[in-house]
Coordinates of all heavy atoms in Angstrom, one line a residue:
P1536 N 94.0 110.1 89.2 CA 92.9 109.2 88.9 C 93.4 107.9 88.3 O 94.4 107.9 87.6 CB 92.1 110.0 87.9 CG 93.1 111.0 87.2 CD 94.1 111.2 88.3
P1537 N 92.7 106.9 88.5 CA 93.1 105.6 88.0 C 93.0 105.6 86.4 O 92.2 106.5 85.9 CB 92.1 104.6 88.5 CG 91.3 105.3 89.5 CD 91.5 106.7 89.3
D1538 N 93.8 104.8 85.7 CA 93.7 104.8 84.3 C 92.5 103.9 83.8 O 92.6 102.7 84.1 CB 95.1 104.2 83.8 CG 95.1 104.0 82.3 OD1 94.1 104.4 81.6 OD2 96.1 103.7 81.7
P1539 N 91.6 104.6 83.2 CA 90.3 103.8 82.8 C 90.5 102.8 81.7 O 89.8 101.9 81.6 CB 89.3 104.9 82.4 CG 90.2 106.0 81.9 CD 91.5 106.0 82.8
S1540 N 91.7 102.9 81.1 CA 92.0 101.9 80.0 C 92.7 100.6 80.5 O 92.8 99.7 79.8 CB 92.9 102.6 78.9 OG 94.1 102.8 79.5
E1541 N 93.1 100.6 81.7 CA 93.7 99.5 82.2 C 92.8 98.3 82.5 O 91.8 98.4 83.2 CB 94.5 99.8 83.6 CG 95.8 99.1 83.7 CD 96.5 99.4 85.0 OE1 96.3 100.5 85.5 OE2 97.2 98.5 85.5
A1542 N 93.2 97.2 81.9 CA 92.2 96.0 81.9 C 92.2 95.3 83.2 O 93.3 95.4 83.9 CB 92.6 95.0 80.8
P1543 N 91.1 94.7 83.6 CA 91.1 93.9 84.8 C 92.2 92.8 84.8 O 92.5 92.3 83.7 CB 89.7 93.3 84.9 CG 88.9 94.1 84.0 CD 89.9 94.7 82.9
H1552 N 90.3 95.2 89.5 CA 89.9 96.3 88.5 C 90.7 97.5 88.7 O 90.3 98.3 89.5 CB 88.3 96.5 88.7 CG 87.6 95.3 88.6 ND1 87.0 94.8 87.5 CD2 87.1 94.5 89.6 CE1 86.3 93.7 87.7 NE2 86.4 93.5 89.0
P1553 N 91.8 97.7 88.0 CA 92.7 98.8 88.3 C 91.9 100.2 88.0 O 92.1 101.2 88.7 CB 93.8 98.7 87.2 CG 93.8 97.2 86.9 CD 92.3 96.8 87.0
A1554 N 91.1 100.2 87.0 CA 90.3 101.5 86.7 C 89.5 101.9 87.8 O 89.3 103.1 88.0 CB 89.5 101.2 85.4
R1555 N 88.9 101.0 88.5 CA 88.0 101.4 89.7 C 88.7 101.2 91.0 O 88.1 101.5 92.1 CB 86.8 100.5 89.7 CG 85.8 100.9 88.5 CD 84.5 100.1 88.5 NE 84.7 98.9 87.7 CZ 84.3 97.6 88.0 NH1 83.6 97.5 89.2 NH2 84.4 96.6 87.2

Side-chain angles (χ1 to χ4, degrees):
D1538 177 358
S1540 66
E1541 214 182 331
H1552 306 270
R1555 289 180 269 139

